[in-house]
Amino acid sequence: MRIKIESERRRGLRIIDEIPDIALCKIQGHNGIGKTNAIKLLSLCTGATPFRGDAAAWVSFKSQLLAAHVKISGLRDGEELEWDLEPNRWPDDPGESLGELIGVLRINGRRSQLSDISEILRVHHIVAAETPQNVLAGRVLEAQKDIQGWDYQRQLRVDALDESLASIHALITNLSPEKIASESLAAREARTRASSLTNRRQTATERMALLQRVKQVSDQLVEVRGQGPEMDAKLEELKKQLEEIDRRKNELNKRIAEASARQHQDAEAEREFANAQKYLDRHDRVARDARTALDMLAASAEVDPQRDVIETAIREASAKLTELTEKLPQVHAAPLVLEVLDDLVRRLSEAERENLGHSALVESSDGSNNWTVSSLREALASQREILGQRTPSADAARLSDEIEKTRSRLYSLAQAKDTLAEFEAAESALSKAKVRLRNAAEGLPEQAARTLDDLMGARNNLDQEAAKVQTRQARLTHTRELLGGGLDEESLSAELTQLCKQLGVKVSRIHSQVASESEKFEEIVRAETQAVQQAERGQQSLERREREIEQVFLQLQAAEELEWVRNAVDIARISGMNLEQKAAALTSISAQLDRARNRLHLIDDAVSGTGTALSKLQVGLQTGTGQEEAETPYDTAARHWLGREVQRWFEDEFVRKALFGGGTEIRLDSRDMSIFWVNQNGEEERRPLTGFSSGQQVLAYTQAQIAKIDAEELPAANRLIALDEFGAFLDWKNMSSLVNLLKVREPGVSKDQVVVILPLEEDRPSRQDGMPSADGQFRSLENRGYFAEELST
């Protein structure tokens, strides 16, 4: 194959421009003329990374190479390759394959990709300086630089990974999912306790109602025994007075009827007078019944049966009912206020224990009334004591009773108002009846009319007297009905005995029993109120937590940046769980994230420690001084790694034959840089790494390298094998052996071109020798700085 290189370079970079089509070619020239650079450039063109592990040389090479055109012709099957290189696009990392960044590649004139080269051409660069010691040192240096390259951006990578892990970890830990199980348990216990207290309160309410009835019956019995007979006698007296008034009215009615019958001039007038009298009697009864009902309702509402008095009482009762109704929520909130005060006092007490008692919490604008931790705690504790002395549930019960009484009075007042209207209508009708009766008496003589007027006046006086007696009777009847609930002594005694037996209390201990159980009842009601509120808050808290968890799972299922979480965890399966199962799953994920972050930081530490250990190991290999006893676990790990690399590298069949005479069980002692192996006689041999640097070993090593190339399972159709820097290591005898080796080796199926790169020989023929070859060499040296010819012994 023929290789042409046209390059545009900055000063300081040299690259030879041609490698002729000579199967076994020798290139000799001045140092620094660009022989090795040409081979490295060709390696880049075929996808290799010849500067791997040498960042400084790579930066210098690509910055000084502005552009290049490489053409290789004479390949097998007549193929032709061309590159237009674009160094300005090449990456800064010498270990990164250029790929499409190489520039423009054409195969047989058609634009192609770098990956298409592997089956057409490969470049193998064998450097004579690669003794076992140098190879191992280079391998360690390469690994060390890999670590250093990773370490260069390590913090960015670690921070990015840590931030990614921390973001989802924070998303979960902000929910405190590990607390949800205890919160759920507390909520269930609160509901159970509230339900239990509600049942206790209901039972106690029924018992308290019976106890209150027992007390009421007992008090009524005492009242009945003291005042009942007296009231009954008074009612009987009033009843007799009304009966007497009725009797007298009946007599007057008869006298009026008789007087009118004797004095009327005709039968028609008499009938009209009789009808008027009947009409009066009927409306008199209606008015009397209306007055009785009005007096009873007025007594029940505790007002006089007058319109202005009743309307004023209705307005006052309505205002009072509104006021009481507005107070009720405040009274019901008292248990919650007590709980808030308890929590605040507890937290402020904790702050005092941390010596924060004199720290200002609230500062007024003028500085006159600043609240410290201690002063605020004392004020809240005092307020809590005041509220605690009250019985919120009792206050609420009393308030409810007062509201009920006020409503009942409003109802009675409304009935009294309606009955007053009925009474006024009855009174109006009665007045009209009296007028009708007087009109019916117009036909009487003057004396008879006066007699009738006197009778009617007497009847009116009896009506007024009857009204007063009715009022007294109505009020006394209402009072009597209140006394003993309308029951007599015998009925009350029987009921009291039955209730005491049912409740299991003695009659003599009724009042003390009611007082004792009232206190217990208030405690139960207070505890139930607080328990119900606590259960409601717990349930609301769980519902809020469930909504928060749902939001987290929605984010885990939808956010693009959290796809890695979905790849690791079956979020869809977790979404179907209940609240506690979801919380447990989130807790597990949080723990996994913690472990992942710990592993990340351990890896970070391991990389840094490994880099330091490899640096120490590489220094030991370069100087041949070995390595002292390991100071860290990473030093031990680095030695074990190098031992495996030595075993893997030296166990190659060709290397073993070339360097160890076919020996086996090759190992390295990195402490003194010695190689051990077992020879074919079964004996262990030892040699320091520096003992492999002779020309004979270089020749043997090169022979092994070439044999490895020839043993490729899938060789490229064309191969360029460059042997570099051999002049400094091989004498004439060993160089002749190398030439003979290259001539007699089996080329296999590939079309190979072997190039041996040598420095300019000091004893080369002079121009005066008159040899044609010498003239050509001189002209090439003068024009190019190097010459190329067929390699010979």
Side-chain angles (χ1 to χ4, degrees):
M1 67 184 77
R2 184 180 181 187
I3 302 171
K4 295 284 291 184
I5 302 175
E6 299 175 2
S7 59
E8 180 181 351
R9 311 172 305 275
R10 288 192 175 94
R11 186 175 181 181
L13 178 65
R14 304 285 296 276
I15 300 175
I16 62 174
D17 56 7
E18 183 181 11
I19 298 177
D21 188 6
I22 303 175
L24 188 55
C25 179
K26 176 180 71 175
I27 296 179
Q28 241 179 316
H30 298 293
N31 289 332
I33 200 63
K35 306 182 293 294
T36 299
N37 284 338
I39 302 302
K40 290 183 176 182
L41 183 63
L42 293 171
S43 295
L44 286 171
C45 289
T46 55
T49 54
F51 290 93
R52 181 180 179 86
D54 194 350
W58 169 245
V59 170
S60 174
F61 183 84
K62 77 182 188 70
S63 64
Q64 293 185 46
L65 181 63
L66 302 180
H69 177 78
V70 179
K71 181 178 181 181
I72 301 179
S73 57
L75 298 170
R76 186 172 184 172
D77 300 327
E79 290 181 304
E80 186 174 270
L81 306 176
E82 288 186 85
W83 290 263
D84 288 316
L85 305 180
E86 300 175 1
N88 61 310
R89 299 178 59 199
W90 296 353
D92 293 332
D93 184 0
E96 182 178 345
S97 179
L98 298 183
E100 302 311 309
L101 299 178
I102 186 72
V104 178
L105 166 64
R106 293 181 181 84
I107 300 177
N108 299 326
R110 292 190 304 177
R111 188 158 183 166
S112 305
Q113 296 180 347
L114 191 60
S115 58
D116 299 330
I117 293 293
S118 60
E119 296 182 0
I120 300 175
L121 175 65
R122 288 187 186 176
V123 176
H124 300 277
H125 190 187
I126 301 175
V127 181
E130 290 182 340
T131 61
Q133 182 179 358
N134 289 338
V135 168
L136 291 178
R139 183 69 187 93
V140 173
L141 180 63
E142 183 178 333
Q144 179 194 356
K145 289 184 176 180
D146 283 343
I147 294 292
Q148 289 175 341
W150 192 94
D151 192 58
Y152 177 73
Q153 295 182 342
R154 171 180 56 86
Q155 198 58 51
L156 294 177
R157 292 193 187 98
V158 170
D159 288 348
L161 289 171
D162 191 58
E163 182 178 354
S164 180
L165 291 170
S167 63
I168 184 63
H169 186 261
L171 187 67
I172 294 175
T173 54
N174 286 342
L175 292 174
S176 300
E178 69 282 356
K179 298 180 180 179
I180 289 180
S182 60
E183 291 174 358
S184 297
L185 178 60
R188 287 196 297 271
E189 291 177 347
R191 289 195 299 270
T192 302
R193 183 169 181 269
S195 178
S196 174
L197 286 170
T198 298
N199 292 334
R200 285 184 60 192
R201 193 261 306 159
Q202 291 173 345
T203 302
T205 299
E206 295 173 359
R207 181 173 176 81
M208 282 304 302
L210 291 175
L211 283 170
Q212 292 295 342
R213 178 58 184 163
V214 167
K215 182 176 179 296
Q216 182 184 23
V217 170
S218 176
D219 293 340
Q220 288 174 344
L221 187 57
V222 172
E223 290 176 350
V224 167
R225 286 171 177 168
Q227 305 179 37
E230 180 182 345
M231 288 186 179
D232 290 341
K234 188 66 176 176
L235 284 170
E236 185 64 27
E237 180 183 348
L238 290 172
K239 179 181 177 182
K240 290 179 179 179
Q241 289 179 14
L242 284 174
E243 289 176 350
E244 178 62 23
I245 290 171
D246 286 341
R247 185 186 64 76
R248 290 164 60 188
K249 283 177 67 176
N250 289 332
E251 289 180 358
L252 284 173
N253 288 336
K254 290 178 181 180
R255 292 174 61 187
I256 291 170
E258 291 174 355
S260 64
R262 292 193 302 268
Q263 299 297 330
H264 272 90
Q265 298 174 353
D266 55 42
E268 183 64 29
E270 185 178 356
R271 282 195 303 273
E272 174 59 27
F273 185 85
N275 290 335
Q277 190 175 15
K278 292 178 181 178
Y279 183 77
L280 175 63
D281 289 339
R282 185 169 64 253
H283 282 285
D284 181 59
R285 288 193 299 272
V286 171
R288 182 177 176 179
D289 292 341
R291 174 173 289 280
T292 301
L294 176 61
D295 287 337
M296 290 292 290
L297 288 171
S300 176
E302 300 177 353
V303 293
D304 292 332
Q306 299 174 18
R307 180 170 294 278
D308 57 343
V309 175
I310 293 175
E311 289 179 347
T312 300
I314 288 175
R315 287 194 298 273
E316 291 175 352
S318 296
K320 183 178 181 181
L321 181 61
T322 301
E323 181 183 355
L324 293 174
T325 305
E326 290 176 350
K327 285 182 179 179
L328 194 58
Q330 300 175 9
V331 174
H332 281 303
L336 181 58
V337 174
L338 282 173
E339 191 170 337
V340 171
L341 287 173
D342 287 339
D343 188 54
L344 290 174
V345 169
R346 178 180 59 79
R347 290 178 179 272
L348 291 170
S349 298
E350 291 175 355
E352 284 182 313
R353 288 195 290 272
E354 298 295 331
N355 299 321
L356 297 175
H358 298 292
S359 300
L361 283 180
V362 182
E363 298 182 359
S364 60
S365 57
D366 56 1
S368 60
N369 188 21
N370 294 340
W371 289 93
T372 64
V373 170
S374 295
S375 62
L376 185 58
R377 195 263 309 156
E378 291 171 359
L380 294 176
S382 177
Q383 182 66 18
R384 193 259 176 265
E385 185 176 355
I386 293 172
L387 288 177
Q389 291 174 353
R390 304 175 186 172
T391 307
S393 55
D395 291 343
R398 284 191 290 271
L399 192 58
S400 297
D401 289 342
E402 194 168 355
I403 289 173
E404 189 60 33
K405 289 178 182 179
T406 305
R407 284 177 176 159
S408 178
R409 186 163 186 260
L410 266 175
Y411 177 73
S412 297
L413 287 170
Q415 283 188 314
K417 184 177 179 181
D418 294 339
T419 305
L420 178 61
E422 294 175 1
F423 172 72
E424 289 173 344
E427 283 284 300
S428 176
L430 180 61
S431 297
K432 291 178 181 179
K434 290 178 179 180
V435 171
R436 179 180 174 183
L437 183 63
R438 284 192 179 92
N439 291 336
E442 288 180 353
L444 294 174
E446 181 179 355
Q447 182 60 41
R450 282 198 299 270
T451 301
L452 190 60
D453 284 341
D454 292 339
L455 292 173
M456 291 296 294
R459 190 182 189 284
N460 287 337
N461 291 335
L462 285 176
D463 285 341
Q464 292 176 6
E465 184 181 353
K468 292 178 181 178
V469 174
Q470 284 177 353
T471 299
R472 290 198 300 274
Q473 185 190 36
R475 290 184 177 275
L476 188 59
T477 300
H478 176 70
T479 303
R480 183 63 181 84
E481 289 177 352
L482 293 177
L483 185 66
L487 301 176
D488 57 20
E489 182 177 350
E490 183 180 355
S491 299
L492 290 171
S493 296
E495 184 179 0
L496 180 62
T497 302
Q498 189 272 332
L499 287 173
C500 287
K501 181 178 180 181
Q502 180 180 348
L503 292 171
V505 297
K506 296 180 179 180
V507 175
S508 60
R509 296 180 58 84
I510 289 174
H511 287 79
S512 61
Q513 188 76 20
V514 169
S516 173
E517 294 199 22
S518 292
E519 292 180 2
K520 295 178 181 178
F521 177 73
E522 293 302 333
E523 289 295 329
I524 293 173
V525 172
R526 184 187 300 109
E528 182 210 13
T529 302
Q530 294 177 347
V532 169
Q533 291 175 344
Q534 184 177 359
E536 290 175 350
R537 289 197 301 275
Q539 185 61 34
Q540 291 170 358
S541 176
L542 285 180
E543 291 173 357
R544 174 179 55 80
R545 292 295 225 112
E546 189 161 17
R547 289 193 298 271
E548 291 173 348
I549 285 181
E550 286 302 321
Q551 290 298 319
V552 169
F553 275 106
L554 286 175
Q555 190 169 346
L556 291 176
Q557 288 176 316
E560 293 183 3
E561 66 273 14
L562 299 181
E563 184 178 359
W564 61 274
V565 180
R566 294 192 290 275
N567 292 335
V569 181
D570 189 355
I571 302 297
R573 180 183 62 85
I574 297 176
S575 298
M577 298 178 176
N578 61 34
L579 177 61
E580 292 186 38
Q581 290 172 332
K582 288 179 180 177
L586 287 177
T587 302
S588 175
I589 293 173
S590 178
Q592 293 178 47
L593 290 169
D594 268 337
R595 291 193 294 271
R597 293 183 72 188
N598 290 336
R599 287 197 301 271
L600 175 64
H601 293 294
L602 287 175
I603 291 172
D604 185 31
D605 294 340
V607 169
S608 178
T610 302
T612 301
L614 288 174
S615 178
K616 292 163 62 176
L617 189 60
Q618 196 266 342
V619 170
L621 284 168
Q622 283 186 326
T623 60
T625 57
Q627 183 180 8
E628 297 179 357
E629 192 68 27
E631 299 177 1
T632 69
Y634 301 113
D635 293 322
T636 303
R639 287 201 313 275
H640 286 310
W641 167 81
L642 181 62
R644 289 193 300 271
E645 285 293 297
V646 167
Q647 186 176 13
R648 183 178 60 82
W649 189 67
F650 283 149
E651 279 294 339
D652 182 271
E653 181 181 0
F654 298 104
V655 176
R656 286 193 298 107
K657 288 181 179 179
L659 300 181
F660 305 103
T664 58
E665 299 180 22
I666 302 162
R667 60 185 178 85
L668 169 71
D669 186 344
S670 61
R671 290 183 175 83
D672 61 2
M673 293 301 148
S674 296
I675 296 290
F676 293 84
W677 72 94
V678 176
N679 61 28
Q680 293 183 345
N681 295 325
E683 300 172 345
E684 185 176 75
E685 294 191 32
R686 173 185 178 278
R687 182 182 300 175
L689 278 175
T690 54
F692 289 91
S693 60
S694 66
Q696 183 63 38
Q697 296 300 333
V698 169
L699 177 62
Y701 176 63
T702 302
Q703 180 180 358
Q705 293 294 87
I706 293 173
K708 287 178 65 176
I709 293 173
D710 290 342
E712 285 183 333
E713 292 185 3
L714 297 173
N718 304 272
R719 297 189 300 197
L720 175 64
I721 302 173
L723 307 182
D724 200 359
E725 300 184 12
F726 278 79
F729 294 92
L730 299 181
D731 54 18
W732 177 85
K733 179 180 180 181
N734 287 325
M735 181 59 74
S736 297
S737 298
L738 177 61
V739 172
N740 290 332
L741 168 66
L742 295 174
K743 286 183 176 182
V744 301
R745 60 182 282 269
E746 290 290 335
V749 296
S750 301
K751 184 177 181 181
D752 290 354
Q753 181 165 345
V754 179
V755 177
V756 179
I757 300 175
L758 299 171
L760 193 62
E761 297 176 355
E762 295 182 0
D763 58 347
R764 62 182 175 82
S766 63
R767 182 186 295 268
Q768 286 77 13
D769 290 340
M771 297 175 61
S773 60
D775 292 340
Q777 292 175 1
F778 274 113
R779 285 194 299 272
S780 181
L781 283 172
E782 290 176 356
N783 294 331
R784 297 179 172 181
Y786 74 97
F787 65 87
E789 60 184 14
E790 185 174 358
L791 179 66
S792 60
T793 55

